[in-house]
Amino acid sequence: MRNLKLISAAFVALMFVACKPTEKNYKAAYDAAQIKREQAAAEQMRPASGLLSDDGPSLRVVDGDTIFVTRDRLRLPDGQRPAGEWGVAVALFKMSTNAVATASDLHEAGFPEATYLKGAGGKHYAVAGVTSTLDSARNIAADFRRAFPEYPYIGLPGAPVIIRY
């Protein structure tokens, strides 16, 4: 009986000592997860050469300018269709609050047509401008790239995406 108590006490003590989490362990696990997340994001954003994609933006050359173009059912927050046929998306989010905040920042940074548009499947775009022609959308995208050469293009393939809706 006494041996059973000693074994039980030793087992309990070993559990507390052996499974003790440390800040160092948490940080190492967090860093490893962060690296995996960044690698996965980079893989998703990398254009696939030689493959056709029905659900992502495709590269097109228009008057010597390479642009990403896609189609989506874009709507204003009130459900109405925006004016024009083309939107120049500079960020894509899963949460509308992020898209609204980004569009507000763009508006303050000199893009008066900047707005937030909802896409199909719960997508929320921050759009630098909307227009009626592909050529003017391409010009908005070029102006944006010149104004913000280091812009991160969150959720997009490293450049503005022109969306026909």
PDB file of all heavy atoms in Angstrom, residues 46-71:
ATOM      1  N   ARG A  46       0.973  33.007 -55.764  1.00  0.00           N
ATOM      2  CA  ARG A  46       1.872  32.854 -56.901  1.00  0.00           C
ATOM      3  C   ARG A  46       1.068  32.459 -58.133  1.00  0.00           C
ATOM      4  O   ARG A  46       0.357  31.463 -58.127  1.00  0.00           O
ATOM      5  CB  ARG A  46       2.902  31.771 -56.593  1.00  0.00           C
ATOM      6  CG  ARG A  46       3.971  31.663 -57.658  1.00  0.00           C
ATOM      7  CD  ARG A  46       5.037  30.661 -57.289  1.00  0.00           C
ATOM      8  NE  ARG A  46       5.651  31.044 -56.030  1.00  0.00           N
ATOM      9  CZ  ARG A  46       5.968  30.164 -55.083  1.00  0.00           C
ATOM     10  NH1 ARG A  46       5.738  28.896 -55.242  1.00  0.00           N
ATOM     11  NH2 ARG A  46       6.532  30.586 -53.975  1.00  0.00           N
ATOM     12  N   PRO A  47       1.156  33.254 -59.207  1.00  0.00           N
ATOM     13  CA  PRO A  47       0.438  32.868 -60.425  1.00  0.00           C
ATOM     14  C   PRO A  47       0.975  31.543 -60.963  1.00  0.00           C
ATOM     15  O   PRO A  47       2.183  31.329 -60.999  1.00  0.00           O
ATOM     16  CB  PRO A  47       0.736  34.004 -61.407  1.00  0.00           C
ATOM     17  CG  PRO A  47       1.365  35.091 -60.619  1.00  0.00           C
ATOM     18  CD  PRO A  47       1.887  34.485 -59.345  1.00  0.00           C
ATOM     19  N   ALA A  48       0.095  30.676 -61.360  1.00  0.00           N
ATOM     20  CA  ALA A  48       0.494  29.378 -61.893  1.00  0.00           C
ATOM     21  C   ALA A  48       0.744  29.524 -63.386  1.00  0.00           C
ATOM     22  O   ALA A  48      -0.160  29.800 -64.148  1.00  0.00           O
ATOM     23  CB  ALA A  48      -0.604  28.348 -61.635  1.00  0.00           C
ATOM     24  N   SER A  49       1.986  29.349 -63.794  1.00  0.00           N
ATOM     25  CA  SER A  49       2.311  29.486 -65.205  1.00  0.00           C
ATOM     26  C   SER A  49       1.900  28.218 -65.942  1.00  0.00           C
ATOM     27  O   SER A  49       2.129  27.114 -65.474  1.00  0.00           O
ATOM     28  CB  SER A  49       3.802  29.754 -65.381  1.00  0.00           C
ATOM     29  OG  SER A  49       4.545  28.715 -64.801  1.00  0.00           O
ATOM     30  N   GLY A  50       1.272  28.409 -67.083  1.00  0.00           N
ATOM     31  CA  GLY A  50       0.886  27.274 -67.903  1.00  0.00           C
ATOM     32  C   GLY A  50      -0.452  26.666 -67.538  1.00  0.00           C
ATOM     33  O   GLY A  50      -0.938  25.810 -68.239  1.00  0.00           O
ATOM     34  N   LEU A  51      -1.061  27.090 -66.449  1.00  0.00           N
ATOM     35  CA  LEU A  51      -2.342  26.543 -66.052  1.00  0.00           C
ATOM     36  C   LEU A  51      -3.427  27.598 -66.205  1.00  0.00           C
ATOM     37  O   LEU A  51      -3.189  28.785 -66.023  1.00  0.00           O
ATOM     38  CB  LEU A  51      -2.299  26.099 -64.581  1.00  0.00           C
ATOM     39  CG  LEU A  51      -1.299  25.005 -64.238  1.00  0.00           C
ATOM     40  CD1 LEU A  51      -1.303  24.774 -62.742  1.00  0.00           C
ATOM     41  CD2 LEU A  51      -1.648  23.730 -64.962  1.00  0.00           C
ATOM     42  N   LEU A  52      -4.626  27.154 -66.531  1.00  0.00           N
ATOM     43  CA  LEU A  52      -5.760  28.067 -66.600  1.00  0.00           C
ATOM     44  C   LEU A  52      -6.571  27.911 -65.331  1.00  0.00           C
ATOM     45  O   LEU A  52      -6.823  26.809 -64.875  1.00  0.00           O
ATOM     46  CB  LEU A  52      -6.630  27.753 -67.822  1.00  0.00           C
ATOM     47  CG  LEU A  52      -5.961  27.944 -69.178  1.00  0.00           C
ATOM     48  CD1 LEU A  52      -6.904  27.502 -70.281  1.00  0.00           C
ATOM     49  CD2 LEU A  52      -5.564  29.395 -69.373  1.00  0.00           C
ATOM     50  N   SER A  53      -6.993  29.034 -64.778  1.00  0.00           N
ATOM     51  CA  SER A  53      -7.774  29.014 -63.552  1.00  0.00           C
ATOM     52  C   SER A  53      -9.117  29.686 -63.797  1.00  0.00           C
ATOM     53  O   SER A  53      -9.177  30.793 -64.320  1.00  0.00           O
ATOM     54  CB  SER A  53      -7.023  29.751 -62.438  1.00  0.00           C
ATOM     55  OG  SER A  53      -7.828  29.842 -61.303  1.00  0.00           O
ATOM     56  N   ASP A  54     -10.187  29.023 -63.413  1.00  0.00           N
ATOM     57  CA  ASP A  54     -11.521  29.598 -63.567  1.00  0.00           C
ATOM     58  C   ASP A  54     -11.891  30.495 -62.406  1.00  0.00           C
ATOM     59  O   ASP A  54     -12.775  31.321 -62.527  1.00  0.00           O
ATOM     60  CB  ASP A  54     -12.570  28.483 -63.674  1.00  0.00           C
ATOM     61  CG  ASP A  54     -12.432  27.722 -64.975  1.00  0.00           C
ATOM     62  OD1 ASP A  54     -11.859  28.271 -65.936  1.00  0.00           O
ATOM     63  OD2 ASP A  54     -12.899  26.576 -65.023  1.00  0.00           O
ATOM     64  N   ASP A  55     -11.231  30.338 -61.267  1.00  0.00           N
ATOM     65  CA  ASP A  55     -11.670  31.063 -60.085  1.00  0.00           C
ATOM     66  C   ASP A  55     -10.724  32.171 -59.636  1.00  0.00           C
ATOM     67  O   ASP A  55     -11.022  32.872 -58.690  1.00  0.00           O
ATOM     68  CB  ASP A  55     -11.897  30.096 -58.929  1.00  0.00           C
ATOM     69  CG  ASP A  55     -10.638  29.345 -58.549  1.00  0.00           C
ATOM     70  OD1 ASP A  55      -9.662  29.404 -59.304  1.00  0.00           O
ATOM     71  OD2 ASP A  55     -10.643  28.695 -57.493  1.00  0.00           O
ATOM     72  N   GLY A  56      -9.616  32.364 -60.295  1.00  0.00           N
ATOM     73  CA  GLY A  56      -8.679  33.398 -59.879  1.00  0.00           C
ATOM     74  C   GLY A  56      -8.384  34.352 -61.015  1.00  0.00           C
ATOM     75  O   GLY A  56      -8.788  34.141 -62.155  1.00  0.00           O
ATOM     76  N   PRO A  57      -7.684  35.427 -60.699  1.00  0.00           N
ATOM     77  CA  PRO A  57      -7.353  36.386 -61.750  1.00  0.00           C
ATOM     78  C   PRO A  57      -6.377  35.806 -62.760  1.00  0.00           C
ATOM     79  O   PRO A  57      -5.511  35.016 -62.418  1.00  0.00           O
ATOM     80  CB  PRO A  57      -6.732  37.555 -60.987  1.00  0.00           C
ATOM     81  CG  PRO A  57      -6.325  37.018 -59.671  1.00  0.00           C
ATOM     82  CD  PRO A  57      -7.187  35.842 -59.390  1.00  0.00           C
ATOM     83  N   SER A  58      -6.544  36.209 -64.018  1.00  0.00           N
ATOM     84  CA  SER A  58      -5.624  35.761 -65.063  1.00  0.00           C
ATOM     85  C   SER A  58      -4.817  36.957 -65.557  1.00  0.00           C
ATOM     86  O   SER A  58      -5.288  38.086 -65.523  1.00  0.00           O
ATOM     87  CB  SER A  58      -6.400  35.119 -66.210  1.00  0.00           C
ATOM     88  OG  SER A  58      -7.298  36.054 -66.771  1.00  0.00           O
ATOM     89  N   LEU A  59      -3.602  36.691 -65.986  1.00  0.00           N
ATOM     90  CA  LEU A  59      -2.747  37.740 -66.525  1.00  0.00           C
ATOM     91  C   LEU A  59      -3.137  38.033 -67.966  1.00  0.00           C
ATOM     92  O   LEU A  59      -3.337  37.117 -68.758  1.00  0.00           O
ATOM     93  CB  LEU A  59      -1.283  37.305 -66.481  1.00  0.00           C
ATOM     94  CG  LEU A  59      -0.562  37.488 -65.160  1.00  0.00           C
ATOM     95  CD1 LEU A  59       0.817  36.860 -65.216  1.00  0.00           C
ATOM     96  CD2 LEU A  59      -0.451  38.946 -64.797  1.00  0.00           C
ATOM     97  N   ARG A  60      -3.245  39.330 -68.271  1.00  0.00           N
ATOM     98  CA  ARG A  60      -3.523  39.760 -69.641  1.00  0.00           C
ATOM     99  C   ARG A  60      -2.578  40.896 -69.984  1.00  0.00           C
ATOM    100  O   ARG A  60      -2.191  41.668 -69.120  1.00  0.00           O
ATOM    101  CB  ARG A  60      -4.965  40.258 -69.776  1.00  0.00           C
ATOM    102  CG  ARG A  60      -5.959  39.129 -69.770  1.00  0.00           C
ATOM    103  CD  ARG A  60      -7.386  39.558 -69.881  1.00  0.00           C
ATOM    104  NE  ARG A  60      -7.686  40.444 -70.981  1.00  0.00           N
ATOM    105  CZ  ARG A  60      -8.889  40.978 -71.179  1.00  0.00           C
ATOM    106  NH1 ARG A  60      -9.866  40.702 -70.353  1.00  0.00           N
ATOM    107  NH2 ARG A  60      -9.104  41.786 -72.186  1.00  0.00           N
ATOM    108  N   VAL A  61      -2.238  40.995 -71.245  1.00  0.00           N
ATOM    109  CA  VAL A  61      -1.419  42.102 -71.728  1.00  0.00           C
ATOM    110  C   VAL A  61      -2.326  43.011 -72.547  1.00  0.00           C
ATOM    111  O   VAL A  61      -2.930  42.575 -73.534  1.00  0.00           O
ATOM    112  CB  VAL A  61      -0.226  41.604 -72.582  1.00  0.00           C
ATOM    113  CG1 VAL A  61       0.575  42.776 -73.112  1.00  0.00           C
ATOM    114  CG2 VAL A  61       0.653  40.681 -71.761  1.00  0.00           C
ATOM    115  N   VAL A  62      -2.446  44.267 -72.087  1.00  0.00           N
ATOM    116  CA  VAL A  62      -3.271  45.260 -72.766  1.00  0.00           C
ATOM    117  C   VAL A  62      -2.375  46.447 -73.093  1.00  0.00           C
ATOM    118  O   VAL A  62      -1.852  47.098 -72.182  1.00  0.00           O
ATOM    119  CB  VAL A  62      -4.458  45.699 -71.889  1.00  0.00           C
ATOM    120  CG1 VAL A  62      -5.277  46.777 -72.581  1.00  0.00           C
ATOM    121  CG2 VAL A  62      -5.335  44.512 -71.525  1.00  0.00           C
ATOM    122  N   ASP A  63      -2.179  46.717 -74.371  1.00  0.00           N
ATOM    123  CA  ASP A  63      -1.314  47.810 -74.828  1.00  0.00           C
ATOM    124  C   ASP A  63       0.064  47.750 -74.174  1.00  0.00           C
ATOM    125  O   ASP A  63       0.602  48.758 -73.724  1.00  0.00           O
ATOM    126  CB  ASP A  63      -1.958  49.167 -74.571  1.00  0.00           C
ATOM    127  CG  ASP A  63      -3.191  49.395 -75.414  1.00  0.00           C
ATOM    128  OD1 ASP A  63      -3.257  48.812 -76.525  1.00  0.00           O
ATOM    129  OD2 ASP A  63      -4.077  50.147 -74.990  1.00  0.00           O
ATOM    130  N   GLY A  64       0.633  46.560 -74.068  1.00  0.00           N
ATOM    131  CA  GLY A  64       1.963  46.395 -73.511  1.00  0.00           C
ATOM    132  C   GLY A  64       2.024  46.394 -71.991  1.00  0.00           C
ATOM    133  O   GLY A  64       3.087  46.247 -71.407  1.00  0.00           O
ATOM    134  N   ASP A  65       0.897  46.555 -71.328  1.00  0.00           N
ATOM    135  CA  ASP A  65       0.844  46.570 -69.860  1.00  0.00           C
ATOM    136  C   ASP A  65       0.246  45.247 -69.371  1.00  0.00           C
ATOM    137  O   ASP A  65      -0.837  44.864 -69.792  1.00  0.00           O
ATOM    138  CB  ASP A  65      -0.014  47.749 -69.393  1.00  0.00           C
ATOM    139  CG  ASP A  65       0.122  48.040 -67.923  1.00  0.00           C
ATOM    140  OD1 ASP A  65       1.065  47.518 -67.291  1.00  0.00           O
ATOM    141  OD2 ASP A  65      -0.721  48.792 -67.394  1.00  0.00           O
ATOM    142  N   THR A  66       0.966  44.550 -68.500  1.00  0.00           N
ATOM    143  CA  THR A  66       0.482  43.286 -67.952  1.00  0.00           C
ATOM    144  C   THR A  66      -0.389  43.568 -66.736  1.00  0.00           C
ATOM    145  O   THR A  66       0.037  44.239 -65.801  1.00  0.00           O
ATOM    146  CB  THR A  66       1.660  42.390 -67.553  1.00  0.00           C
ATOM    147  OG1 THR A  66       2.494  42.194 -68.698  1.00  0.00           O
ATOM    148  CG2 THR A  66       1.180  41.041 -67.053  1.00  0.00           C
ATOM    149  N   ILE A  67      -1.608  43.049 -66.771  1.00  0.00           N
ATOM    150  CA  ILE A  67      -2.562  43.292 -65.685  1.00  0.00           C
ATOM    151  C   ILE A  67      -3.251  41.978 -65.308  1.00  0.00           C
ATOM    152  O   ILE A  67      -3.319  41.047 -66.107  1.00  0.00           O
ATOM    153  CB  ILE A  67      -3.629  44.340 -66.081  1.00  0.00           C
ATOM    154  CG1 ILE A  67      -4.360  43.912 -67.364  1.00  0.00           C
ATOM    155  CG2 ILE A  67      -3.026  45.717 -66.227  1.00  0.00           C
ATOM    156  CD1 ILE A  67      -5.512  44.806 -67.757  1.00  0.00           C
ATOM    157  N   PHE A  68      -3.745  41.924 -64.067  1.00  0.00           N
ATOM    158  CA  PHE A  68      -4.570  40.801 -63.621  1.00  0.00           C
ATOM    159  C   PHE A  68      -6.022  41.188 -63.845  1.00  0.00           C
ATOM    160  O   PHE A  68      -6.451  42.277 -63.453  1.00  0.00           O
ATOM    161  CB  PHE A  68      -4.345  40.499 -62.146  1.00  0.00           C
ATOM    162  CG  PHE A  68      -3.063  39.775 -61.861  1.00  0.00           C
ATOM    163  CD1 PHE A  68      -1.939  40.468 -61.449  1.00  0.00           C
ATOM    164  CD2 PHE A  68      -2.979  38.402 -62.009  1.00  0.00           C
ATOM    165  CE1 PHE A  68      -0.759  39.817 -61.183  1.00  0.00           C
ATOM    166  CE2 PHE A  68      -1.795  37.731 -61.748  1.00  0.00           C
ATOM    167  CZ  PHE A  68      -0.687  38.443 -61.332  1.00  0.00           C
ATOM    168  N   VAL A  69      -6.780  40.286 -64.457  1.00  0.00           N
ATOM    169  CA  VAL A  69      -8.189  40.537 -64.741  1.00  0.00           C
ATOM    170  C   VAL A  69      -8.995  39.321 -64.304  1.00  0.00           C
ATOM    171  O   VAL A  69      -8.562  38.178 -64.472  1.00  0.00           O
ATOM    172  CB  VAL A  69      -8.426  40.805 -66.250  1.00  0.00           C
ATOM    173  CG1 VAL A  69      -9.891  41.069 -66.540  1.00  0.00           C
ATOM    174  CG2 VAL A  69      -7.572  41.968 -66.720  1.00  0.00           C
ATOM    175  N   THR A  70     -10.174  39.577 -63.738  1.00  0.00           N
ATOM    176  CA  THR A  70     -11.077  38.496 -63.347  1.00  0.00           C
ATOM    177  C   THR A  70     -12.512  38.990 -63.430  1.00  0.00           C
ATOM    178  O   THR A  70     -12.762  40.165 -63.713  1.00  0.00           O
ATOM    179  CB  THR A  70     -10.742  37.982 -61.928  1.00  0.00           C
ATOM    180  OG1 THR A  70     -11.463  36.766 -61.694  1.00  0.00           O
ATOM    181  CG2 THR A  70     -11.084  39.000 -60.865  1.00  0.00           C
ATOM    182  N   ARG A  71     -13.440  38.098 -63.173  1.00  0.00           N
ATOM    183  CA  ARG A  71     -14.864  38.453 -63.127  1.00  0.00           C
ATOM    184  C   ARG A  71     -15.395  38.093 -61.748  1.00  0.00           C
ATOM    185  O   ARG A  71     -15.007  37.085 -61.166  1.00  0.00           O
ATOM    186  CB  ARG A  71     -15.666  37.684 -64.171  1.00  0.00           C
ATOM    187  CG  ARG A  71     -15.427  38.157 -65.584  1.00  0.00           C
ATOM    188  CD  ARG A  71     -16.427  37.524 -66.538  1.00  0.00           C
ATOM    189  NE  ARG A  71     -17.763  38.023 -66.319  1.00  0.00           N
ATOM    190  CZ  ARG A  71     -18.357  38.981 -67.044  1.00  0.00           C
ATOM    191  NH1 ARG A  71     -17.699  39.521 -68.037  1.00  0.00           N
ATOM    192  NH2 ARG A  71     -19.584  39.362 -66.788  1.00  0.00           N
TER     193      ARG A  71
END
